[in-house]
Amino acid sequence: MLKVRVIPTLLWKDFGLVKGVGFDSWRRVGTILPAIKVYNTRDVDELILVEITATSEEREPDYESVADLSAECFVPLTIGGGIRTVEHITRLLHAGADKVSINTAAYEKPSLVTEAANRFGAQCIVASIDVRRSPDGRYECYGRSGTTATGREPTEWARELEDRGAGEILLTSVDRDGTMSGYDLDLIKRVSESVRMPVIASGGAGEYQHMLSAVAHGGASAVAAASIFHFTPKTPLEAKRFLAKNGVAVRTEKNTNRSVITES
Amino acid sequence: MKVVLINYGMGNLGSVARALEECGATVEIAENPTSLVGAERIVLPGVGAFPDAMARLEAARWPGELSEALSNPEVRLLGICLGMQLLADKGHEVAETAGLGLIPGEVVRLVAGQGERVPHVGWNEVRHRQASSPLLAGIGDGTDFYFVHSYQFRASLASDILAATPYCGEFASVVGSGNVFGTQFHPEKSSRPGMQLLKNFLARPGC
């Protein structure tokens, strides 16, 4: 059975690991390399690493840093931030990324998603959608780290991205980001029902129960989280234990085959 | 041990090279087949679409040179993900395209069953289909590996299917015939079990 993934999200700028609230008020929470080492040792399901200032500063991805960071990572690594061309993606894959997350560039040049999927395969392209909910309850997609309204409605945009060849959706509620008050279940449900590809829920996890709800009620294939792992004693491993106890299939110690591996 | 990692412009090369090195290999990232001289292991990684990949391999004259190198039974090839699919006779992604023809079979799209999504992304069970395949030595039946793909290798011979995974019905997740092997999952991204598989691939028989 396919397992539900628990994915720590690491946001970084200037080599520092940061976390904000509502895509703002960034706090420095450590350095990035030790964090990756810890997650690798703890055998997490996957990691998402986003350089949050690359796009706003009109920079290309920092390939050298990605190469250093990926060298310590033997689980799937998705890299986001500043990706605008197929060439950027080629260089990131050479540097050690397994998947890339495209956000702002998809609005500005939707053909990039098509081109990238044709070249690298759908499985390599994670379309990142940042969403804000207006007071009247309407959802809208935002680009440029949640600062620029795009006029796009999330379910329609997700379907277009799927048609263009994206392989997964990383769906983030900007309103819930960093609040630890729970995922936007309504948003997750709407988007996951409108596409056939996997949807990764993001923004708002503060309790293991929130993760369970994103899967059980929202239909998410994976849950991403940052604050809960940075600011509380909660861990991805315990999150999976909680999910397993509540009937969700996860990758547990039993099937990670730890005991029979001999060190080289 | 010299391991040639084929660079045809579309793999997640960095990840694969790093994992092989962690397993003790000396990795040479090769853009053309002259590097095959003296190689004991060859790895064909894969992220991408089938027709584009074959066109690139053919442009660099890999197919003929690979067959030649593999005529030595002590040389082994491992195809990963798309690299495994390229071992087949033909693929049906985008357009029908001839593959490397190293393991009989065809590559067809996954068809999602009730409650399933395609691409198949994430950790899923790998169930042994052949007793005691050296490639799976020390890896428990049903161990989770990391997958990310939309197509599957439909092998012509059941005996070439070393392991299978229950998704979209069931598909071959490890194939092997003689000295040619393929994994639909990414061993380089499957943490400890993946490392064990790569070590098994690198091991010399009898050691």
Side-chain angles (χ1 to χ4, degrees), chain B:
Chain B
M1 173 176 290
K2 176 176 163 183
V3 179
V4 162
L5 179 58
I6 299 177
N7 177 10
Y8 53 114
M10 40 202 312
N12 56 338
L13 286 178
S15 290
V16 180
R18 180 75 188 92
L20 288 164
E21 283 163 2
E22 189 77 8
C23 293
T26 306
V27 179
E28 182 176 328
I29 294 179
E31 271 148 38
N32 67 68
T34 52
S35 301
L36 289 173
V37 177
E40 289 180 70
R41 298 289 181 269
I42 306 164
V43 176
L44 181 59
V47 173
F50 196 108
D52 199 8
M54 279 310 297
R56 284 161 181 273
L57 287 173
E58 276 157 10
R61 307 167 59 96
W62 281 103
E65 299 291 337
L66 280 174
S67 299
E68 176 81 23
L70 291 164
S71 64
N72 176 352
E74 289 179 9
V75 173
R76 287 194 216 160
L77 170 73
L78 177 66
I80 297 173
C81 197
L82 175 66
M84 158 169 154
Q85 297 175 359
L86 295 170
L87 304 176
D89 298 317
K90 61 181 170 182
H92 295 276
E93 183 173 359
V94 190
E96 189 176 309
T97 309
L100 293 169
L102 293 169
I103 295 184
E106 292 185 30
V107 175
V108 297
R109 195 173 164 81
L110 292 169
V111 179
Q114 184 74 30
E116 292 177 333
R117 289 172 185 268
V118 173
H120 174 222
V121 184
W123 297 81
N124 210 335
E125 286 134 56
V126 170
R127 297 181 181 166
H128 298 189
R129 283 292 174 267
Q130 309 292 334
S132 70
S133 164
L135 193 64
L136 299 173
I139 296 168
D141 193 8
T143 298
D144 284 327
F145 284 84
Y146 185 78
F147 292 86
V148 48
H149 62 117
S150 303
Y151 286 78
Q152 63 159 316
F153 190 124
R154 192 170 281 157
S156 305
L157 304 172
S159 56
D160 289 342
I161 302 174
L162 303 183
T165 294
Y167 198 75
C168 296
E170 185 180 81
F171 67 86
S173 42
V174 185
V175 293
S177 173
N179 55 347
V180 178
F181 300 92
T183 64
Q184 183 58 69
F185 51 80
H186 286 271
E188 78 281 9
K189 287 287 141 180
S190 293
S191 198
R192 293 175 183 86
M195 292 295 177
Q196 179 69 55
L197 186 137
L198 291 177
K199 284 179 192 167
N200 292 345
F201 170 70
L202 295 172
R204 290 186 182 91
C207 285

Side-chain angles (χ1 to χ4, degrees), chain A residues 146-161:
Chain A
T147 59
T148 309
T150 64
R152 300 274 191 171
E153 190 279 326
T155 59
E156 282 166 26
W157 181 230
R159 273 196 293 267
E160 177 172 343
L161 290 167

Side-chain angles (χ1 to χ4, degrees), chain A residues 1 3 43 71 99 120 192 260, chain B residues 18 48 117 125 138 146 191:
Chain A
M1 188 169 206
K3 308 303 184 292
D43 202 13
K99 302 189 264 190
F120 306 104
S192 65
V260 299
Chain B
R18 180 75 188 92
R117 289 172 185 268
E125 286 134 56
Y146 185 78
S191 198

Side-chain angles (χ1 to χ4, degrees), chain A residues 120-174:
Chain A
F120 306 104
Q123 76 293 325
C124 180
I125 310 301
V126 179
S128 169
I129 306 182
D130 294 334
V131 180
R132 287 181 190 273
R133 187 174 206 166
S134 63
D136 63 6
R138 210 169 42 86
Y139 286 112
E140 185 176 355
C141 304
Y142 277 69
R144 299 195 165 263
S145 295
T147 59
T148 309
T150 64
R152 300 274 191 171
E153 190 279 326
T155 59
E156 282 166 26
W157 181 230
R159 273 196 293 267
E160 177 172 343
L161 290 167
E162 182 167 57
D163 291 342
R164 288 184 174 278
E168 280 179 282
I169 296 280
L170 172 61
L171 180 65
T172 304
S173 161
V174 180

Side-chain angles (χ1 to χ4, degrees), chain A residues 47-67:
Chain A
L47 285 174
I48 296 174
L49 198 55
V50 181
E51 193 190 356
I52 56 169
T53 48
T55 294
S56 61
E57 294 173 2
E58 306 285 341
R59 273 189 295 109
E60 283 189 34
D62 178 351
Y63 309 108
E64 281 181 21
S65 298
V66 169

Side-chain angles (χ1 to χ4, degrees), chain A residues 16-257:
Chain A
L17 189 56
V18 295
K19 185 66 198 100
V21 176
F23 284 21
D24 204 348
S25 317
W26 300 103
R27 280 168 65 183
R28 205 176 175 86
V29 293
T31 46
I32 191 105
L33 193 57
I36 287 181
K37 284 182 178 173
V38 166
Y39 283 130
N40 194 57
T41 313
R42 291 185 185 164
D43 202 13
V44 294
D45 293 334
E46 188 167 340
L47 285 174
I48 296 174
L49 198 55
V50 181
E51 193 190 356
I52 56 169
T53 48
T55 294
S56 61
E57 294 173 2
E58 306 285 341
R59 273 189 295 109
E60 283 189 34
D62 178 351
Y63 309 108
E64 281 181 21
S65 298
V66 169
D68 289 344
L69 300 171
S70 68
E72 300 298 332
C73 180
F74 298 109
V75 295
L77 180 63
T78 300
I79 300 287
I83 298 166
R84 289 187 303 277
T85 69
V86 164
E87 174 63 18
H88 293 168
I89 299 170
T90 305
R91 293 187 66 183
L92 283 171
L93 295 177
H94 275 253
D98 299 291
K99 302 189 264 190
V100 294
S101 162
I102 301 175
N103 189 329
T104 303
Y107 302 109
E108 296 175 355
K109 191 184 164 207
S111 63
L112 173 65
V113 176
T114 320
E115 264 176 69
N118 286 342
R119 174 75 187 275
F120 306 104
Q123 76 293 325
C124 180
I125 310 301
V126 179
S128 169
I129 306 182
D130 294 334
V131 180
R132 287 181 190 273
R133 187 174 206 166
S134 63
D136 63 6
R138 210 169 42 86
Y139 286 112
E140 185 176 355
C141 304
Y142 277 69
R144 299 195 165 263
S145 295
T147 59
T148 309
T150 64
R152 300 274 191 171
E153 190 279 326
T155 59
E156 282 166 26
W157 181 230
R159 273 196 293 267
E160 177 172 343
L161 290 167
E162 182 167 57
D163 291 342
R164 288 184 174 278
E168 280 179 282
I169 296 280
L170 172 61
L171 180 65
T172 304
S173 161
V174 180
D175 309 308
R176 300 295 179 94
D177 172 68
T179 62
M180 294 198 268
S181 62
Y183 294 101
D184 186 333
L185 297 179
D186 187 28
L187 173 67
I188 294 163
K189 190 163 192 290
R190 285 193 204 190
V191 174
S192 65
E193 281 175 355
S194 65
V195 292
R196 293 177 305 276
M197 62 182 156
V199 173
I200 306 167
S202 166
E207 304 286 342
Y208 299 143
Q209 179 64 44
H210 296 154
M211 297 179 176
L212 177 62
S213 301
V215 174
H217 304 303
S221 298
V223 289
S227 296
I228 183 174
F229 301 136
H230 293 323
F231 302 132
T232 81
K234 298 186 175 75
T235 65
L237 181 62
E238 277 185 34
K240 287 197 285 182
R241 284 187 184 137
F242 179 87
L243 291 172
K245 216 184 304 168
N246 287 280
V248 175
V250 292
R251 179 173 159 260
T252 60
E253 296 100 306
K254 180 180 75 65
N255 43 17
T256 59
N257 200 40

